[in-house]
Amino acid sequence: MRRWRPRGIVPGLSRLPATGHERVPDPTVDGFVRAATRLVARLGAGGQLLVLVAEDDAPDLTALVAALAAQATVPFFGGVFPAVIEGTRQHARGGLVVWLPASGAPRVVSGLDRDTIQIPAMAGRQGGATALVLVDGLARSLASFLEALYDRLGNTVAYWGGGAGSLRSGPRPCVFTEAGVFQDAAIVALVPAAASLGVRHGWTKLVGPLVATRTSGNEIQELNWERALDVYRAAVAADCGREITEEGFFEVAKGYPFGLQKQGAEDVVRDPIAVGPAGSLRCVGDVPENAVLSILKGVPEQLVAAAGAAAAAARAVGAPSRLSLVADCVSRAIFLEDRFAEELEAMDAARGDGASQIGMLTLGEISSQGNGYLELFNKTAVVASVPTDEHVVTGSE
Amino acid sequence: MTDPLDQRRTLADIALLFELSLAAGTSIDLQTNCRRFVTSLMARKNLDLAQIWLRADATEDRGAAGPATDALPYHLAFAAPTAHVGVTTLGADHPLLARVREERAFRVAPDAAEVAALLGGGGLTRGTCAVFPLPPRGFLVLHASHEDVLAEAREVRQLEAVTAKLAISIEGCLAHAQAMREIAERRKAETERALAQEQLHHAQKMDAVGRLAGGVAHDFNNLLTSILGCAEILERDAEGDDQRALLELVVGAARNAADLTGQLLAFSRAAPLDVHPVPLDALVAQVGALLERTVDPQISVELDLRLGADVAVLGDESRLQSAFLNLGLNARDAIRGAGQITIRSDRVDLDEEACRRHGGEVSPGAFARVRVTDTGVGMDPQTRSRIFEPFFSTKQTGRGTGLGLAAVYGSVSSHGGVITVQSRPGDGASFEVLLPITDSPRAIEGDDVALTGQGAILVIEDDEQVRMVVERMCARLGYQVAVTASGEEGLAALDAARPDVVLLDVRMPGMGGHETLARIRERDAELPVIVVSGFVEEPELDAMRRLGTAGFLQKPVALAELSRALRAALGDSSPR
Ligand SMILES: Nc1ncnc2c1ncn2[C@@H]1O[C@H](COP(=O)(O)OP(=O)(O)O)[C@@H](O)[C@H]1O
Ligand SMILES: [Mg+2]
């Protein structure tokens, strides 16, 4: 099988830009500012900073933005996530600051709670580019946003990113740039090099096809012309060996998501998270009416293997990469529990290029799946290898 | 890789086709319908791009006699993403269209000549394109970078089944849009017809009132002619300053009365025009200067004249002058305290559409536009709708006659122009006059001197008083005069002795002026005939002009005017 080649990078002809990062162990504004300053001192002011903040004891974001705006001399953007990833470890406290080359300043797209979304003027770049996309993972109109973003940039860039926010504390401002902290918004930052991408989840089909005969946005009201909950319950009960109650729904459902068919790729996962009125099922992400669905089942070994496959698929061909960005679904961590460490190890090992693996646990993942339609994924691992010769790690050892 | 009996795959294919076929036709709005279908298609089939193209007759109204459908271009009707839109129109001879007309779907490399121009934005050189006809007048272009997508002929055949549904749903959307267009057009036609009716009513009303006013003015003029004539004659013979002063009063009052009937006549459109090319900027400048002298010093008069010295309108300068003066005086009256009157002139070219907006009262061409704008009290819609009616005035008795704008309206119309007004209460008013531009300009001139002369004059006039006055005037100017009281008498006198000039009235019992002139022409094609009348409609005067006239005099006739007309008719080298 052919791999997705980074577009426009001719090895040996152009010097690739360096990248760098620093882990911030203590969740203080000061810690983030110091990491940012050190990175800029090492790598210069010609880039941008991706600031990933872990949820536990997170510093006040407004204060963080003010301090960074005052002291960092480069544009920055970021968000709060359930955890950050460095190497094969996840951290629910502290965070990461990542130095990346920049193509223009990060753009804020607001109004993700509305139906029509205005994307500011942006253009891909001759020679390839990657759009890093952070969204408020709990915003209502994510599908419309991604549709509008793809309409604007098309295949001229590779897309990598995911949803910020907290499952614990619900909707609130969670993404930021030097312009402020935003809720119902997205941030798009362009890196002037085309990353190569890998997208996998490893959930396998249990039941299907089923037709979502009545839906509304992210709510499935009917499956096969019957109450969605009844159909789902009947399909899953045999496999899980438990009664599915409305209260205990999430406990069971986290292991049995829906899959939307996608040609040439795994199904796109739609996570049912709650039971709505009249036995409807509420999902993360929209389900179009008449969509043909499967019910998927998670087997830990297969999930771990799939994450590895995603990393392997993203391994740059032709251009070296010293930086591997990972957006991994928080629900995978919840499902795999202690075995989630195996997933991070599998990714690091499968790539086998010794690149620094950096990223976060997300509420929904974003990728162009190596070209094609831009979509929001659930329960998926999205890996981007950024072409680079050198990756600097600063901070006290 | 392709096992025709692979059950799992068949099931997956059927599921996909099921979903897609239900995604077609979910809306009667073309864009929404296309977007919903394409969104599902792109997501499920992992596509990069979809474009829907429609032949020009899908979205444009085309008469039955339009070109053959094969000669029509195609336009891009829907595209996702717009980042990759290349060309948006394909000429009828584009090679892609020949293949589309064969009505079978086909695959093609994205860099092939047929499709390369359709894919803009870069980044789509790899992968596969597929083109699906959307009969009877469209096609769908898809692009996939993914190597497994659109890879097999069988996949394309499968999709043909769904795109056929899309084609039908698009026809439905187009039919709906066409119906909506027709309804909108009918509505537009209805409002236009209502507007035309209203304009017609207005014109009819003005016409009726105008005739009435014209009739009154006619009789009045005859009276004034004799008063003025007698007074002028007496003035010459008067002895002593007392008599002369009294006579001057009589003449002055009669002249004022004549001005008033002049206004009435101007409004009735019946007064014949003394037509010359009039350089309009110079005329408006004179009006501006006059206004400046008459208005309160708190009111400033601004001129912005952009027609240029060579631009003239064919018209009667005194009537044009009084028209603009009237607008200026109304503006003055509308301003309380301080304010500004602005007169602007410029040139505009009106096309068919613009003329239609003016109620069809003008025909396309170059127009001089004069706008008189004030910062006064403005008008409410009720007032605005009545201002051109004669005797309509909101001013207190003694201040307004209500004839000013009626006269302006008549003058402008008889010059082939239009007048419109824009005003809101408290927001001032702006009157816009459009007059057709003519080519040759002429300097404004004028004098009051009565010129004496020699020769035999035959007067044909039914009104005894007028006849007497004219006889006296001619005698006073040194001419020999014969008078007759009807057309028949006049012709007899003419047969007896040929005069040098005939002064001919128009409105006469029995043989009227027009017929008399015709009879004169049967006898003598060269004889100078000056038409004298108080009330002649333009078409009749035109007809008489065609028979050959040596001038026209408006009653009441002033001595100086008569003298000039006679001199001119006799071929004297005096001006005019
Ligand atoms: N510039 C103007 N601003 C406001 N009202 C005007 C203006 N010009 C005319 N009018 C209105 O139109 C009416 C008719 O005007 P007009 O025919 O000139 O008669 P008059 O001036 O004798 O009243 C005026 O009485 C006045 O109500
Ligand atoms: Mg007036």
Side-chain angles (χ1 to χ4, degrees), chain B residues 170-494:
Chain B
I170 285 176
E171 279 302 301
C173 293
L174 293 176
H176 173 73
Q178 172 69 25
M180 295 310 282
R181 256 200 312 274
E182 278 172 16
I183 288 169
E185 256 157 39
R186 210 173 305 142
R187 284 225 182 96
K188 188 164 161 245
E190 270 161 22
T191 36
E192 270 172 10
R193 202 176 316 131
L195 191 69
Q197 281 289 339
E198 200 180 296
Q199 280 165 345
L200 184 67
H201 274 140
H202 180 70
Q204 282 170 343
K205 183 164 93 185
M206 299 304 259
D207 206 46
V209 180
R211 272 166 205 288
L212 191 68
V216 174
H218 168 243
D219 294 339
F220 209 52
N221 264 342
N222 282 342
L223 296 172
L224 284 173
T225 303
S226 42
I227 294 171
L228 256 179
C230 294
E232 282 185 8
I233 290 161
L234 284 175
E235 207 179 349
R236 295 202 153 209
D237 298 341
E239 289 154 15
D241 287 350
D242 274 5
Q243 275 190 19
R244 199 160 283 136
L246 281 173
L247 281 166
E248 251 168 43
L249 274 180
V250 173
V251 170
R255 286 233 166 94
N256 282 345
D259 279 351
L260 202 65
T261 52
Q263 287 197 340
L264 269 175
L265 281 172
F267 162 67
S268 75
R269 292 202 219 182
L273 298 172
D274 185 9
V275 173
H276 305 275
V278 180
L280 207 58
D281 269 359
L283 184 135
V284 173
Q286 283 184 0
V287 172
L290 196 60
L291 262 182
E292 193 132 41
R293 270 183 268 128
T294 48
V295 300
D296 189 294
Q298 288 194 85
I299 301 175
S300 67
V301 178
E302 306 288 332
L303 296 182
D304 177 12
L305 305 179
R306 295 166 181 238
L307 280 167
D310 344 319
V311 176
V313 303
L314 207 55
D316 180 322
E317 70 190 45
S318 67
R319 290 192 32 202
L320 288 173
Q321 202 166 14
S322 77
F324 293 123
L325 193 60
N326 256 311
L327 295 179
L329 293 176
N330 279 345
R332 175 201 63 188
D333 294 345
I335 296 173
R336 309 270 171 275
Q340 184 172 320
I341 302 172
T342 313
I343 310 184
R344 293 190 189 83
S345 74
D346 59 0
R347 182 195 164 109
V348 291
D349 290 298
L350 297 192
D351 56 14
E352 292 277 356
E353 173 62 30
C355 291
R356 230 188 346 271
R357 274 202 305 278
H358 280 106
E361 285 179 41
V362 286
S363 31
F367 284 78
R369 173 166 65 178
V370 180
R371 281 174 291 175
V372 181
T373 306
D374 63 66
T375 57
V377 295
M379 286 170 264
D380 57 23
Q382 287 90 324
T383 303
R384 208 173 53 218
S385 67
R386 297 193 57 195
I387 52 174
F388 295 116
E389 283 176 25
F391 309 113
F392 174 80
S393 175
T394 58
K395 293 168 193 171
Q396 63 196 93
T397 331
R399 289 222 55 187
T401 60
L403 279 176
L405 286 178
V408 173
Y409 181 91
S411 289
V412 171
S413 308
S414 55
H415 280 83
V418 282
I419 178 165
T420 51
V421 59
Q422 282 186 343
S423 178
R424 273 185 303 170
D427 217 17
S430 181
F431 286 82
E432 176 179 300
V433 174
L434 292 173
L435 295 166
I437 288 176
T438 184
D439 306 321
S440 50
R442 191 192 61 95
I444 297 180
E445 52 178 54
D447 58 340
D448 271 345
V449 193
L451 307 161
T452 55
Q454 287 166 7
I457 316 276
L458 173 63
V459 178
I460 308 176
E461 165 68 63
D462 67 317
D463 189 300
E464 195 188 337
Q465 284 181 356
V466 176
R467 198 163 61 228
M468 242 173 64
V469 171
V470 173
E471 183 185 6
R472 295 274 168 85
M473 282 173 137
C474 292
R476 172 90 28 209
L477 291 169
Y479 297 95
Q480 294 163 310
V481 203
V483 293
T484 56
S486 70
E488 293 84 350
E489 269 183 44
L491 288 172
L494 197 130

Side-chain angles (χ1 to χ4, degrees), chain A residues 205 208-212 259-262 267 289-294, chain B residues 7-23 40 44-45 158 162:
Chain A
K205 182 159 142 186
L210 299 167
V211 182
L260 287 164
Q261 199 179 330
K262 188 172 198 95
D267 282 5
E289 193 153 278
N290 299 315
V292 180
L293 303 171
S294 306
Chain B
Q7 284 197 19
R8 282 181 57 108
R9 176 126 186 236
T10 307
L11 203 58
D13 287 347
I14 289 172
L16 181 83
L17 295 176
F18 171 80
E19 182 178 342
L20 289 178
S21 63
L22 288 177
S40 287
R44 295 297 160 266
K45 302 268 337 165
Q158 281 180 350
V162 228

Side-chain angles (χ1 to χ4, degrees), chain A residues 22-270:
Chain A
E22 179 171 332
R23 157 127 175 88
V24 183
D26 294 321
T28 61
V29 167
D30 214 36
F32 281 96
V33 170
R34 272 202 306 271
T37 332
R38 267 195 293 268
L39 281 165
V40 173
R42 278 294 298 276
L43 287 157
Q48 58 189 338
L49 297 174
L50 166 60
V51 182
L52 302 171
V53 181
E55 177 178 23
D56 287 358
D57 306 323
D60 175 54
L61 291 186
T62 314
L64 176 62
V65 164
L68 283 171
Q71 292 179 54
T73 46
V74 297
F76 61 89
F77 67 104
V80 185
F81 298 89
V84 299
I85 295 167
E86 187 195 30
T88 57
R89 298 198 55 194
Q90 56 158 321
H91 307 275
R93 264 183 113 245
L96 292 168
V97 182
V98 189
W99 194 102
L100 294 161
S103 172
R107 306 294 179 85
V108 180
V109 181
S110 55
L112 266 57
D113 51 344
R114 293 194 289 266
D115 289 336
T116 45
I117 288 158
Q118 296 291 325
I119 303 285
M122 268 185 275
R125 205 176 137 274
Q126 203 76 48
T130 303
L132 305 187
V133 186
L134 300 185
V135 300
D136 173 350
L138 298 176
R140 180 166 65 84
S141 300
L142 291 177
S144 307
F145 161 68
L146 292 176
E147 199 178 320
L149 182 64
Y150 184 68
D151 193 56
R152 175 55 60 79
L153 292 174
N155 267 354
T156 60
V157 301
Y159 301 88
W160 173 89
S166 163
L167 290 179
R168 278 207 306 264
S169 46
R172 62 174 189 183
C174 58
V175 291
F176 56 84
T177 69
E178 52 196 0
V181 188
F182 304 94
Q183 184 176 346
D184 291 320
I187 291 155
V188 182
L190 290 177
V191 172
S196 53
L197 303 164
V199 184
R200 293 289 189 283
H201 55 66
W203 298 81
T204 50
K205 182 159 142 186
L206 173 69
V207 184
L210 299 167
V211 182
T213 42
R214 208 148 73 85
T215 73
S216 159
N218 63 347
E219 208 163 277
I220 304 176
Q221 289 150 343
E222 284 180 7
L223 286 169
N224 286 357
W225 296 274
E226 300 195 35
R227 259 165 54 106
L229 179 61
D230 299 345
V231 177
Y232 184 82
R233 211 183 244 150
V236 171
D239 189 75
C240 74
R242 290 165 57 175
E243 177 68 15
I244 303 174
T245 61
E246 290 198 15
E247 302 74 55
F249 180 78
F250 184 70
E251 265 311 297
V252 177
K254 69 177 185 185
Y256 298 96
F258 291 109
L260 287 164
Q261 199 179 330
K262 188 172 198 95
Q263 187 165 338
E266 290 175 305
D267 282 5
V268 175
V269 179
R270 287 286 171 265

